[in-house]
Amino acid sequence: MTTFTNPILAGDRPDPAIIKVGDEYWMTYSSFEAAPGLLLYRSTDLVNWTYVTAALPKPIGNTFAVDIAEHDGRFFIYIPFIPTPWSTLTDASIFVIHADAMAGPWSDPVDLGIRGAIDPGHVVGEDGKRWLFVNGIRRIGLTDDGLSTVGELEKVYDGWRYPDEWVTEAYALEGPKLLRRGEWLYIVSAVGGTAGPATGHMVIVARSRSVHGPWENHPRNPIARTTDAAEHWWSRGHATLVPGPGASVDDDAWWMVSHGYENGYRTLGRQILLESITWTADGWPEPGVMDIGGELEAPSGAAPQHPSAAVVDDFSTLALGERWGFHAPSPDELDRVRLDDGLRLTGKGAGIGDTSPLAMLTGDHSYEVEVDVDATALHGEAGLLLFFNNRLFVGMGIDGQGMRSYSGGIRTHWRQPVPTADRLTLRIRNDAHIVTGWFRADGGEWERHYVRYETSGYHANTIGDLLSLRPALYASGEGEAVFRDFRYTPLS
């Protein structure tokens, strides 16, 4: 028997959307302000996933929870964009992109004209008409080509109300995902709030014989929830149900993909979780186990789970999407990058808060990152960070005169003695939230930064932003910095 442990995709990958296409599964997740966005992964066993492409090279806003649909042999991703300082949007707006194959190429975003809504979920009614459900739960009709709307948003489902004594963040009825099995149409939704208390987020189910309702709530809602803060996975929710490998829609072997925070490691963001689903004789989905924090039986035929891997990047190419992404970029952010004897990053802004760092996701509890930083041609500063957002980060940079140290999103008072140099190799170790720094010049001996930092509080409940702490490279000011020989090493 092959087993696996959650997560199936580590690191900050919230609001997973998944579709089964033949014998393959395709998945993406909310990319928020990162670019490129909507990274697409492929799997044949639901346990091991391979990056394929980014469906959204240039987001036009903050990219929230999407839905993937196939209709008449064509593929669609319905996307809610939230306004950002650099976008032209004035309200939450739902767009769609489309392609002949999941691997792309994907179209430019098409504005559906839906305002003030997020979390679209696509479904085809019993009459063949297409619909889009959104948070609320409301719905609106789609044209046959799925590229424009018919009518107005209308309320269609009130959700399921949990007991008042349950401790949650907010009711927040959202994330509708719809599926048809047998004579029933099911709507799988999230309530309870995304972050907040560990016991908040949950998965609820309702069903109807018609896309027009009425909707009957699952008699044993919620079908997934963290009931105790001692559990391994917190705030479980935002789920999609799919048939297992080799199974058809009418078979009993189904699986649920959702997200959750790891107990003690909220800094890693919401990670993607997998659990088995069975169907009762009266046609309701039920979880295979209640606590998914241990070793679980894998889907039939699954390969052994891939371990976390080290990364060595000489920047001969730039693995945008697969490895790197800009945080909160402007539309022309890629113009800041060129590859020539390393990664040359043009300075931006007056400090870290407005630099749009180049960051990578991680799902490891402990790791080291190091990179050679050359600020010779930069009138500003450049360096290596563990970056949450533009208000919260930790790390160090150089400006040719000395070292600047950062903690809690501000420059610290500590003046670290370093050689007066335009080029240093920097190293950061995150050992279960304890962050230590090192530096060296000209390939010499490593010298340890005098101050260590504790980062267990660098997460959404601290700063109110649904992101994660991740390694990042930054350059501010004028001119360009050069980064060479980047290394990421997971630590056991």
Side-chain angles (χ1 to χ4, degrees), residues 14 35 46 80 123-124 126 155 161 169 172 202 256 298 332 356 369 401 450 458:
L46 288 171
V123 71
V124 178
E126 61 275 9
K155 180 81 172 183
R161 291 282 174 173
E169 181 185 32
M202 64 194 84
M256 181 163 67
D332 59 352
S356 293
V369 285
Q401 302 301 314
Y450 283 180
Y458 286 43

Side-chain angles (χ1 to χ4, degrees), residues 76-401:
F76 302 81
I77 303 180
Y78 290 91
I79 311 167
F81 290 115
I82 309 301
T84 64
W86 49 266
S87 75
T88 60
L89 302 174
T90 59
D91 197 356
S93 305
I94 297 180
F95 286 62
V96 62
I97 57 177
H98 53 94
D100 291 328
M102 283 299 299
W106 289 88
S107 73
D108 292 333
V110 177
D111 188 354
L112 292 175
I114 304 172
R115 301 292 183 261
I118 59 171
D119 294 9
H122 176 273
V123 71
V124 178
E126 61 275 9
D127 59 358
K129 298 295 185 182
R130 302 175 70 173
W131 298 89
L132 208 61
F133 284 58
V134 299
N135 66 312
I137 296 291
R138 299 161 290 165
R139 71 168 189 184
I140 192 169
L142 293 172
T143 54
D144 289 345
D145 64 6
L147 302 181
S148 56
T149 59
V150 178
E152 303 292 333
L153 284 173
E154 57 177 338
K155 180 81 172 183
V156 293
Y157 171 55
D158 291 327
W160 172 83
R161 291 282 174 173
Y162 46 80
D164 286 342
E165 61 268 22
W166 285 13
V167 180
T168 67
E169 181 185 32
Y171 181 64
L173 177 60
E174 59 189 9
K177 295 290 186 288
L178 295 105
L179 64 100
R180 187 173 294 280
R181 184 177 184 271
E183 60 185 15
W184 294 104
L185 179 64
Y186 296 84
I187 182 170
V188 182
S189 306
V191 292
T194 298
T199 54
H201 214 25
M202 64 194 84
V203 180
I204 64 171
V205 178
R207 70 183 183 185
S208 173
R209 298 184 190 275
S210 169
V211 72
H212 305 296
W215 295 94
E216 169 193 6
N217 282 314
H218 195 310
R220 290 169 293 282
N221 271 332
I223 67 166
R225 176 182 178 239
T226 304
T227 60
D228 191 315
E231 292 180 30
H232 192 90
W233 291 101
W234 290 0
S235 303
R236 293 166 54 202
H238 202 101
T240 305
L241 275 58
V242 291
S248 70
V249 170
D250 296 322
D251 291 335
D252 289 334
W254 280 60
W255 293 81
M256 181 163 67
V257 176
S258 65
H259 68 205
Y261 287 104
E262 188 171 4
N263 188 343
Y265 288 91
R266 275 182 162 161
T267 55
L268 297 176
R270 290 168 291 171
Q271 305 183 64
I272 298 182
L273 312 175
L274 179 68
E275 58 190 289
S276 62
I277 289 292
T278 59
W279 292 88
T280 63
D282 59 348
W284 288 108
E286 299 281 359
V289 295
M290 295 309 297
D291 186 348
I292 60 171
E295 196 169 277
L296 303 173
E297 183 175 352
S300 176
Q305 194 169 21
H306 298 158
S308 178
V311 172
V312 177
D313 197 336
D314 64 0
F315 297 117
S316 56
T317 60
L318 184 59
L320 273 177
E322 182 177 10
R323 181 173 304 146
W324 297 103
F326 283 105
H327 172 78
S330 61
D332 59 352
E333 203 71 40
L334 194 56
D335 293 344
R336 295 178 58 207
V337 174
R338 66 187 184 97
L339 301 178
D340 180 10
D341 185 30
L343 169 68
R344 296 178 180 268
L345 184 62
T346 300
K348 176 183 178 181
I352 294 172
D354 51 9
T355 59
S356 293
L358 196 59
M360 64 171 287
L361 292 179
T362 177
D364 292 305
H365 294 176
S366 300
Y367 54 86
E368 281 187 352
V369 285
E370 69 177 66
V371 67
D372 182 82
V373 182
D374 185 347
T376 304
L378 182 70
H379 301 289
E381 63 173 294
L384 177 65
L385 302 170
L386 300 185
F387 182 87
F388 186 86
N389 69 5
N390 58 5
R391 293 176 290 152
L392 188 61
F393 44 84
V394 59
M396 50 192 168
I398 59 174
D399 61 3
Q401 302 301 314

Side-chain angles (χ1 to χ4, degrees), residues 368 395-396 403 405 414-419 424-431 434-441 444-453:
E368 281 187 352
M396 50 192 168
M403 175 172 286
S405 303
W414 179 256
R415 294 182 180 273
Q416 179 67 34
V418 299
L424 291 174
T425 302
L426 306 180
R427 174 193 287 171
I428 290 177
R429 175 185 294 167
N430 183 352
D431 189 357
I434 305 302
V435 174
T436 306
W438 286 266
F439 58 91
R440 67 179 179 184
E445 296 295 320
W446 287 105
E447 297 185 52
R448 190 174 67 180
H449 195 289
Y450 283 180
V451 183
R452 263 70 67 197
Y453 308 102

